[in-house]
Amino acid sequence: MSETALSTAARLFAAIEAKNPDAVAALYTDDVTVWHNFSNASQDKATNLATLTALCRNVPAIRYEVQERLLLTDGRVLQRHLLRARVDGGDEIVIPACMLITVRGHQICGIEEYLDSGQANRLRAATGRPAI
């Protein structure tokens, strides 16, 4: 399970960097829930994929700078990273974040995302989207 959980988490971030929401969809279970600290609410699969699709459409370049990725118990992976988003005009917005990813088999069934909402709102403003 350890290699599966770690490699599944790595594939998630690679798919987002490649701006490939279809690859993310294939990694998610049908009943995945994605919780965010800034809203204290969970998204279902369709809603989260719509969010990721908008990110991929509105941000020219996305890169995760992984600070650490740790295997926890029961198929869970903790990742601390900097999301580096290059926007039109070349500016880079850096969003510190931490995610707890739960893997079942070879798919992700849960994500808890903690991010700096101030920096996320800078990115949203730069791409013409409303604040979170």
Side-chain angles (χ1 to χ4, degrees), residues 58-60 87-88 122-129:
N58 292 309
V59 178
V87 296
D88 287 336
R122 284 186 60 223
L123 176 60
R124 293 179 74 83
T127 58
R129 295 179 297 151

Side-chain angles (χ1 to χ4, degrees), residues 29 31-35 100-104 107-112:
T29 60
D31 63 344
V32 68
T33 57
V34 181
W35 177 88
L100 180 63
I101 302 163
T102 304
V103 176
R104 183 172 59 218
Q107 290 184 293
I108 296 167
C109 62
I111 296 175
E112 294 174 35

Side-chain angles (χ1 to χ4, degrees), residues 92-106:
E92 182 178 69
I93 297 172
V94 180
I95 304 172
C98 182
M99 293 177 75
L100 180 63
I101 302 163
T102 304
V103 176
R104 183 172 59 218
H106 296 282

Side-chain angles (χ1 to χ4, degrees), residues 60-75:
I62 301 165
R63 183 172 62 86
Y64 288 92
E65 184 178 315
V66 177
Q67 306 296 299
E68 60 185 324
R69 184 180 291 149
L70 304 170
L71 177 65
L72 304 178
T73 58
D74 300 326

